[in-house]
Amino acid sequence: MNTSDLLIVPSADLEALESACQLVDERKDRSPRLVLRFLDPELGEHKTARREERLGVLSEILSRKSNLSLFCETEEMAAHLNVQYGLDVQGGFYLPCSFDPALPPEVPTTAKSDPFRVGLFGAPRPGKGYERIGGITDCLRELLKQKTASKPIEIILQGSERDFAENGAYNFVQEMPEESGILFSRHSDRLDPDTFIKLFLSADLILLPYDTDVYGLQGSGIIQDAIATEKVIVHSKGIAMKQLLSGGNAHAASSDAGFAKAINDVVTTRSKNLRVCRDARLQYLSILNNNILSKGEI
């Protein structure tokens, strides 16, 4: 390796930072260009005292002007790492996920009688807020009694058999009355990539009731996929990626009733979402085209 080489670590942690610092310290002005991108605000070290101790050891090396550059996916996490640990980190280093925003998404053929599909993708892990779905659907059912929505609403759920069992996160699926106007489709949380892509494209709206204690700093690939495929997003107020969520296709909510109202509003104004979703995709594409990789700034 020499100074003309470039090494990018897209999911760096504290151990990767330690290794990078050791390399630039040993190689001095012969070091290759190193770029680290952090996705975890704890840098992979969950003990605060230990994290601070390890960063303290690196402080002298990090203070030098060297071939080491630090980035984050979100502006929110970059600001946190700067304030909390004094790290010189830049935000906004996004990389595409499952879908390419440069390609207009395939639009599934739907009939007027088909339900409006709300997607919750991934297993109901802690921090995803999926334990709120029962309350959100109860509020949505009350709204549907007013016949404000023009068609039934189908909610796509991914999980294990245990998640749909009596004491699972999605046990409420068995209790929802058939006449409620709300349908559920159950899917495994272990789908192959092709099946996942087809299922994701079939959704009209992506629902993200994320816990802001977790997602107030870190980003979500599902947000990027939703924007790249021109989906409407209903998300928790206060989650990160505000830059991407400002394209007009995203709606913030705080309460179960707020989530239900946002979903119902989108269903009743479906045709108005097409242009803003397209504009949001193009905005996202512009951000990717102007990141440090595309602009050749590293």
Side-chain angles (χ1 to χ4, degrees), residues 105-125:
E106 297 179 20
V107 180
T109 303
T110 57
K112 288 186 177 181
S113 59
D114 289 344
F116 183 91
R117 308 193 82 194
V118 175
L120 288 103
F121 292 97
R125 297 190 302 273

Side-chain angles (χ1 to χ4, degrees), residues 41-268:
E42 295 183 336
L43 308 179
E45 172 56 80
H46 303 304
K47 294 184 178 180
T48 303
R50 177 62 177 155
R51 186 186 320 120
E52 292 177 348
E53 178 185 352
R54 292 170 67 183
L55 285 170
V57 172
L58 305 177
S59 60
E60 193 276 328
I61 299 173
L62 290 171
S63 67
R64 304 175 197 164
K65 291 187 178 297
S66 66
N67 283 342
L68 176 60
S69 300
L70 308 181
F71 292 88
C72 277
E73 188 175 46
T74 71
E75 303 285 354
E76 293 87 350
M77 189 184 298
H80 168 78
L81 293 177
N82 183 282
V83 171
Q84 192 75 16
Y85 304 111
L87 293 175
D88 183 11
V89 184
Q90 298 180 52
F93 186 0
Y94 294 103
L95 295 173
C97 297
S98 302
F99 300 92
D100 184 354
L103 303 175
E106 297 179 20
V107 180
T109 303
T110 57
K112 288 186 177 181
S113 59
D114 289 344
F116 183 91
R117 308 193 82 194
V118 175
L120 288 103
F121 292 97
R125 297 190 302 273
K128 295 285 188 178
Y130 287 5
E131 67 276 1
R132 303 183 61 178
I133 303 306
I136 292 171
T137 52
D138 284 343
C139 293
L140 192 54
R141 181 175 56 180
E142 292 302 312
L143 285 176
L144 294 183
K145 288 179 180 179
Q146 304 170 23
K147 302 297 181 184
T148 52
S150 57
K151 55 172 56 188
I153 295 175
E154 177 182 338
I155 299 178
I156 301 169
L157 300 173
Q158 276 190 275
S160 64
E161 287 298 321
R162 183 173 59 184
D163 293 324
F164 292 100
E166 183 175 351
N167 295 318
Y170 296 143
N171 65 329
F172 58 85
V173 170
Q174 305 171 17
E175 304 171 359
M176 187 65 65
E178 292 183 4
E179 68 277 7
S180 67
I182 299 176
L183 312 171
F184 294 97
S185 58
R186 297 169 40 164
H187 303 270
S188 170
D189 55 0
R190 297 179 179 273
L191 299 177
D192 64 78
D194 288 342
T195 302
F196 172 80
I197 285 172
K198 290 178 182 177
L199 185 63
F200 197 92
L201 289 172
S202 74
D204 298 292
L205 179 151
I206 305 301
L207 180 59
L208 302 172
Y210 287 173
D211 186 342
T212 54
D213 288 342
V214 176
Y215 285 93
L217 295 175
Q218 71 183 49
S220 167
I222 293 292
I223 291 176
Q224 292 178 246
D225 284 342
I227 296 171
T229 53
E230 299 186 5
K231 306 298 182 186
V232 181
I233 301 170
V234 175
H235 63 88
S236 297
K237 184 177 182 180
I239 64 172
M241 288 189 163
K242 292 182 180 67
Q243 181 184 27
L244 295 187
L245 293 169
S246 65
N249 66 318
H251 308 274
S254 300
S255 64
D256 291 351
F259 276 102
K261 182 180 184 304
I263 295 169
N264 187 65
D265 288 347
V266 172
V267 177
T268 56

Side-chain angles (χ1 to χ4, degrees), residues 3 23-32 64 66-67:
T3 56
L23 180 59
V24 298
D25 189 41
E26 291 176 353
R27 299 292 297 264
K28 301 296 190 292
D29 56 357
R30 296 179 295 110
S31 170
R64 304 175 197 164
S66 66
N67 283 342

